Amino acid sequence: MNDASQSMPEVATRAGKLRGRVENGVTVFRGIPYAAPPVGELRFEPPRDHAAWSGVRDALEDGPIAPQGRSRLAHIMGDFERPQSEDCLTLTLWTPNPDARGRPVMVWLHGGAYSSGAGSVDWYAGDRFAANGDVVFVSVNYRLGALGFLYLPGTSEGNMGLLDQMQALRWIRDNIAAFGGDPDNVTVVGQSAGGGSIAAMMTMPHAKGLFRRAILQSPGMGRPSRGAAEAAELGARYAHFVGVEPGDEAALKQAPVQKLLAAQGELARSLAGFAVLSLPFSPVRDGRIIEGNIVERLQAGAGAHVDVIVGTTREEMAAFHCVDQAVLNADEATARQVFERLCGPHYSEYVDEFRRMRAVPTPAAMLGDLTTDQVFRMGSLRLAEGQARAGHPAYVYQFDWQSPTPGFKSCHCLEIPFVFNNRDNWRDSPMLNGCDEAEFQGIANAMHQAWIAFARSGDPNHAGLPCWAPYDEAQRTTMRFDTVIGPVNDLAGLSYRLPWPVI
């Protein structure tokens, strides 16, 4: 083997050969197309296989990311700029060596409220996983916003971004062995919208067999997926914002992308409300791709065929509330209205309970705790309960480490750099400004190696972590990641708190 083939290895996929590059001892393939470009007549259509090519295709540069506006969490995570295009269905792959070793495979599905983000940004580089864990790591770009999740029968059947993810997983199943991975040992890892996507796929017969294990980080399962009627009404409103006449929704196929993005912003503003985390576009219960209520099905054990880690940060909603002056300046009467909306006629009892849980129970702090439970924590624990009842218990964690930036607390997205263990890629991230570097590295080592161990065997325990037992409804063991790391029984207090209301 000559020096060129060692530094720029070639791998044969079913569609054709790819040429990658060795970077810091890890082989990387960028901009790999896993589906045909969803452009022209394929806009709003399910993904299709990419055409084969002859010769060797360079996989040396990232492809464009999905069309999107600025992330609403840029003030927390930081900003990024990348070329954008509807031709965005690509993935990035890191492998220790494209050989026949059959390594565990980890697949990252990024968050961003189904409207922003990209698997190819440096935050989600999988080189540390490949180098430290001897795993093959794949990060996926998928369609976002209206282009990925508009539901408007006759124009767009919805859930296209979810189908993109499944198409990527099928590509991995069919091709990953050539990159040194084991197609029968695939772990999907997703945060926020990525975790919500995994939750949906765990209930979908068509996704069965595409992954063996799942790590769901802060999946927003407290926001129920929309039913078809509601999603179609929202789709019609969106078409109005684009400027499409009723009955001419097919014109959306030709509308300029910038016009589609501007209409997304208008629709999002029309849905905004006090202490409400609204999503203009998200997976739809269409009765075909998603057949029913995701949380209810998971609680009934629909995901019991999958090994699971699931968890949240302690104060997820601080990421959104820290710049929301209406929440920060809320008085008690206004906060009580939200409690009444979410907790029902006995809301005063919940107000008292949440007040007791805070050393300084300001209305803003109580609203943050309430909506963190509503949007993130309770749905995650319902999934864990469903796994336990089905005899396939999940591992549950809570990330409690606090950002040094005032107001950020233990916010949504804060755990991601620890999981990836790639501090240098987050140097410009406001949520890590001023953090103790040794403290960061200690927590990162514990989490990063736990994710690797789980991908390898379905068990996150390793020599650098206190014993992490699976979650059951008797002990409710939860691994707490903070300056002190260790398991706590019933960290969410479900055994003594008021039952979470169903309204």
Side-chain angles (χ1 to χ4, degrees):
M1 184 177 293
N2 59 40
D3 291 343
S5 63
Q6 287 182 326
S7 62
M8 301 186 73
E10 296 177 4
V11 169
T13 72
R14 293 194 176 188
K17 287 186 177 180
L18 293 169
R19 179 184 292 116
R21 178 189 288 120
V22 175
E23 301 175 8
N24 298 319
V26 173
T27 303
V28 188
F29 296 82
R30 302 182 184 277
I32 302 174
Y34 65 83
V39 300
E41 288 303 309
L42 295 186
R43 178 187 277 183
F44 300 128
E45 293 294 321
R48 303 184 185 182
D49 291 342
H50 195 281
W53 59 84
S54 59
V56 181
R57 181 184 181 122
D58 279 339
L60 307 176
E61 304 292 337
D62 293 321
I65 67 174
Q68 58 191 271
R70 186 173 186 253
S71 168
R72 60 180 172 179
L73 288 182
H75 62 281
I76 290 284
M77 300 178 73
D79 253 326
F80 62 88
E81 291 186 9
R82 296 288 189 281
Q84 299 185 10
S85 170
E86 288 185 75
D87 181 4
C88 62
L89 300 186
T90 60
L91 49 83
T92 314
L93 187 153
W94 294 262
T95 178
N97 196 5
D99 53 23
R101 286 281 298 276
R103 298 170 178 85
V105 180
M106 301 179 75
V107 182
W108 173 254
L109 302 177
H110 68 82
Y114 303 99
S115 63
S116 66
S120 53
V121 298
D122 292 342
W123 296 332
Y124 309 136
D127 55 330
R128 295 302 85 205
F129 279 105
N132 298 333
D134 195 35
V135 301
V136 178
F137 193 94
V138 185
S139 198
V140 180
N141 289 347
Y142 56 93
R143 281 176 283 180
L144 302 169
L147 290 166
F149 294 93
L150 171 68
Y151 183 76
L152 195 58
T155 300
S156 174
E157 295 302 315
N159 294 320
M160 297 304 138
L162 197 60
L163 294 175
D164 292 343
Q165 295 167 10
M166 293 171 61
Q167 176 79 1
L169 288 167
R170 283 191 289 270
W171 185 95
I172 290 165
R173 177 195 63 196
D174 295 341
N175 293 283
I176 204 67
F179 295 87
D182 179 357
D184 295 322
N185 189 5
V186 174
T187 299
V188 283
V189 190
Q191 188 266 348
S192 196
S197 298
I198 294 170
M201 285 190 281
M202 287 173 63
T203 72
M204 293 162 52
H206 293 304
K208 200 163 187 177
L210 292 178
F211 52 92
R212 182 174 179 180
R213 303 189 172 100
I215 302 176
L216 300 89
Q217 300 173 206
S218 305
M221 293 193 292
R223 299 171 297 202
S225 53
R226 290 187 175 95
E230 180 188 358
E233 189 275 333
L234 202 63
R237 287 173 60 189
Y238 173 73
H240 169 75
F241 283 124
V242 176
V244 170
E245 294 294 327
D248 190 28
E249 285 80 5
L252 289 169
K253 286 250 186 181
Q254 285 78 43
V257 169
Q258 289 307 314
K259 200 168 187 179
L260 298 181
L261 292 177
Q264 282 181 204
E266 291 187 64
L267 181 61
R269 287 186 288 274
S270 75
L271 296 173
F274 178 74
V276 173
L277 196 57
S278 61
L279 297 179
F281 297 103
S282 60
V284 178
R285 299 192 314 276
D286 59 354
R288 183 174 57 93
I289 304 300
I290 300 177
E291 298 177 355
N293 183 289
I294 294 169
V295 175
E296 289 180 1
R297 296 192 67 194
L298 290 172
Q299 193 171 12
H305 59 289
V306 178
D307 298 335
V308 170
I309 290 178
V310 63
T312 60
T313 70
R314 189 173 76 189
E315 291 140 326
E316 299 272 4
M317 290 298 292
F320 308 92
H321 289 176
C322 69
V323 291
D324 188 332
Q325 293 302 314
V327 171
L328 293 175
N329 298 320
D331 58 23
E332 182 162 346
T334 306
R336 291 176 73 89
Q337 291 174 3
V338 179
F339 272 86
E340 184 175 16
R341 172 168 58 85
L342 296 181
C343 303
H346 301 290
Y347 72 94
S348 288
E349 298 175 29
Y350 290 86
V351 172
D352 292 340
E353 181 173 75
F354 276 83
R355 182 181 288 115
R356 289 191 294 269
M357 292 192 293
R358 274 280 163 189
V360 183
T362 64
M366 292 169 62
L367 283 171
D369 291 344
L370 174 69
T371 52
T372 289
D373 277 1
Q374 176 227 349
V375 177
F376 296 103
R377 181 174 292 117
M378 292 304 176
S380 298
L381 295 177
R382 296 295 176 254
L383 164 59
E385 290 171 349
Q387 293 290 108
R389 291 171 188 168
H392 200 146
Y395 292 89
V396 173
Y397 73 89
Q398 183 169 297
F399 188 82
D400 283 8
W401 184 84
Q402 302 276 290
S403 167
T405 304
F408 285 12
K409 303 179 181 178
S410 184
C411 63
H412 193 57
C413 299
L414 186 59
E415 88 290 354
I416 303 173
F418 295 82
V419 167
F420 278 82
N421 196 10
N422 56 356
R423 176 72 176 97
D424 286 343
N425 295 21
W426 296 81
R427 289 295 169 190
D428 297 327
S429 179
M431 64 189 182
L432 294 180
N433 281 348
C435 79
D436 182 296
E437 298 296 335
E439 197 169 274
F440 175 94
Q441 198 57 58
I443 301 170
N445 288 340
M447 296 190 77
H448 183 67
Q449 291 297 335
W451 269 228
I452 289 169
F454 181 79
R456 189 167 297 284
S457 68
D459 185 337
N461 285 285
H462 61 88
L465 188 72
C467 181
W468 187 353
Y471 190 92
D472 61 48
E473 292 183 278
Q475 300 295 327
R476 298 186 181 274
T477 301
T478 304
M479 182 59 70
R480 178 165 58 188
F481 290 102
D482 201 343
T483 52
V484 174
I485 300 168
V488 179
N489 286 346
D490 195 15
L491 185 53
L494 298 189
S495 61
Y496 58 83
R497 287 175 58 183
L498 292 167
W500 185 251
V502 178
I503 303 298

